Amino acid sequence: MQATAREVALNVLAGVEEDAAYSNLLLNRALQRAELSPADSGLATELVYGTIARQATLDYFLNRFIKSGVKRLNPWVRSLLRMSLYQIRYLDRIPPHAAVNEAVEIAKKRGHQGIASMVNGVLRSILREEGELTLPDDLPAAERIALEHSHPLWLVERWIAQYGEETAEAVCAANNQPPKTSLRVNTLRGSREELLGELEAEGRTVRASELSPLGVIVESGGNLADDHGYRDGRFSIQDESSMLVAEALAPEPGMKVLDCCAAPGGKTAHIAEKMQNRGEIVANDLHEHKQGLIAEQAERLNLSCVETSVGDALTLKDRYEPASFDRVLLDAPCSGFGVIRRKPDLRWAKTPDDAASIAKLQRQLLGSVAGLVKPGGILVYSTCTIEREENQRAVAEFLRDHAEFVSEPFDVPSLENAPQTGGAGMQILPHQFGSDGFYIARLRRRS
């Protein structure tokens, strides 16, 4: 018998709980096996990501109705109750009683009558008292934000210290919004205006990105990876913030460029398009299996100037001659706190120690690849995080220790009125444009 959307979602959530698996990988595999309708696949996806994102808030309210506490429950039962409360509290289109009845049926099938009775009792008590499920008025700001927007308290406290209470709350709220679908037009195959027209003719609702000059936002219209325009290399699927990295790098036709941590190859492809496929790009990545992803992107977009390379970015200085590249991009490994909207389990998986250890690696990488830049050339450092320790502070320390480099501003008209946080580079926060949180610094080597 075919699994329902809720059963598929529960299997994924239980797998994340029991095995600390990545939700996106587990969900993709589960959806491929289940062969659900598009509507049911959408529901299963919403239940998985929504339940994970709102986990702290859900647990806070469930603990009022479970004597032993949520943490003492069997992982699949805990996941079932969270998922059911998520539907009751956050999904208007699902009648609460339907969510309860389905949960009870799943509990009977997966467990026994005793578990089904407990699930039924907890959820019906919640329905009776739903109007009273509110947070206390006297919570300190960090606790209130952490509970209301479901983020770890340590992370909220950190963001309040860095950005202030109002911005920290805006970031947390933005992280719980569904991510937008955005495309980058391949300018070797046409203009943004032409692509907008083609997509509209296919019945999609689209608009030009405010943030990126090459970006297109898709408001509705299904899976773009199945679109003939994608297969034919007319566009790539990429977040708007990420599109600004190649703009900052400003590569020109005929240049020699190094992309140090290139997989899956979106920024590499954008660089090649800006170079009009003329010149040489070395696209390096630590993991051999990711080399294929970069090559696939280049092949789909008909880009012949990309050469893939495998190895630790810290060893690039030993593999290439000093001062041998016109442009070097270090899109560094990072804590990823700018992409929580896309990867909701990130907020629960990371610790303060993780952020500190990755910051140390970033500084080593920056110092290691800097010597590969030609005099007069440009080094771009970027991350998909909003942590100052990994961004402005990393660059400030680099500039302090490398007097041959100077920070250089670059023009992004849409950011002229966006408040910046000081220091070198440009920080985009998730709530400003509904895009990923991203940091980009352009550093020029003195001639």
Side-chain angles (χ1 to χ4, degrees), residues 224-269:
L224 272 297
D226 289 338
D227 188 274
H228 65 90
Y230 177 81
R231 292 194 300 271
D232 294 345
R234 295 275 288 107
F235 61 81
S236 295
I237 299 168
Q238 184 181 15
D239 185 78
E240 296 166 273
S241 299
S242 176
M243 295 178 204
L244 298 179
V245 173
E247 303 291 340
L249 195 67
E252 296 170 16
M255 281 185 168
K256 187 175 180 185
V257 178
L258 172 63
D259 187 349
C260 302
C261 308
K267 297 180 191 72
T268 307

Side-chain angles (χ1 to χ4, degrees), residues 19-219:
D19 307 321
Y22 290 116
S23 60
N24 59 332
L25 302 180
L26 217 53
L27 178 62
N28 289 341
R29 285 201 295 270
L31 290 176
Q32 284 168 1
R33 285 197 305 268
E35 297 180 354
L36 299 173
S37 69
D40 278 348
S41 288
L43 175 59
T45 302
E46 163 80 28
L47 292 177
V48 168
Y49 290 149
T51 301
I52 291 170
R54 299 286 185 176
Q55 182 178 303
T57 316
L58 298 171
D59 285 359
Y60 177 80
F61 289 123
L62 282 170
N63 278 327
R64 292 188 187 179
F65 300 91
I66 300 167
K67 280 181 186 156
S68 60
V70 177
K71 294 294 184 196
R72 301 288 295 274
L73 296 173
N74 183 300
W76 76 262
V77 179
R78 179 165 62 240
S79 296
L80 178 60
L81 285 168
R82 283 173 178 163
M83 182 178 80
S84 304
L85 178 54
Y86 175 74
Q87 294 168 77
I88 292 167
R89 190 168 179 84
Y90 295 105
L91 294 189
D92 295 338
R93 66 183 183 273
I94 295 174
H97 289 286
V100 174
N101 292 339
E102 180 93 14
V104 172
E105 289 307 309
I106 291 173
K108 282 180 190 169
K109 193 189 295 188
R110 189 159 178 155
H112 52 72
Q113 185 58 49
I115 292 175
S117 296
M118 186 275 288
V119 167
N120 186 50
V122 168
L123 294 177
R124 292 204 180 278
S125 296
I126 286 171
L127 286 188
R128 282 195 299 273
E129 298 181 30
E130 195 183 351
E132 295 166 36
L133 296 187
T134 56
L135 299 176
D137 294 329
D138 56 351
L139 287 174
E143 281 185 44
R144 179 189 60 76
I145 294 169
L147 271 179
E148 192 170 324
H149 302 289
S150 193
H151 280 65
L153 180 60
W154 69 268
L155 193 55
V156 175
E157 289 173 338
R158 200 169 164 124
W159 287 346
I160 288 174
Q162 289 179 50
Y163 294 106
E165 184 184 324
E166 187 179 340
T167 299
E169 182 160 16
V171 167
C172 291
N175 287 342
N176 290 328
Q177 297 303 310
K180 289 187 293 194
T181 299
S182 52
L183 315 177
R184 185 192 76 245
V185 64
N186 179 359
T187 49
L188 299 180
R189 302 287 303 278
S191 68
R192 176 161 75 170
E193 287 65 34
E194 288 168 338
L195 181 61
L196 284 164
E198 287 172 28
L199 293 169
E200 281 173 350
E202 291 175 9
R204 303 180 193 276
T205 305
V206 293
R207 61 179 170 84
S209 162
E210 296 170 43
L211 191 55
S212 164
L214 301 180
V216 170
I217 308 302
V218 183
E219 306 280 13

Side-chain angles (χ1 to χ4, degrees), residues 15 47 92-94 136 166-167 208 211 218 245 263 288 290 292 331 342 349-350 357 364 366 384 389 402 413:
L47 292 177
D92 295 338
R93 66 183 183 273
I94 295 174
E166 187 179 340
T167 299
L211 191 55
V218 183
V245 173
E288 192 167 345
K290 290 187 177 178
D331 186 47
R342 295 182 190 282
K350 300 284 183 182
S357 62
Q364 290 173 334
L366 254 176
C384 59
E389 184 66 26
H402 294 80

Side-chain angles (χ1 to χ4, degrees), residues 313-350:
L314 287 170
T315 66
L316 287 167
K317 68 181 189 305
D318 304 319
R319 289 155 51 196
Y320 296 99
E321 289 294 315
S324 56
F325 291 92
D326 300 286
R327 301 284 187 269
V328 172
L329 169 59
L330 176 59
D331 186 47
C334 69
S335 59
F337 288 140
V339 294
I340 286 176
R341 190 197 317 254
R342 295 182 190 282
K343 300 178 178 179
D345 30 359
L346 255 182
R347 71 187 87 186
W348 310 120
K350 300 284 183 182

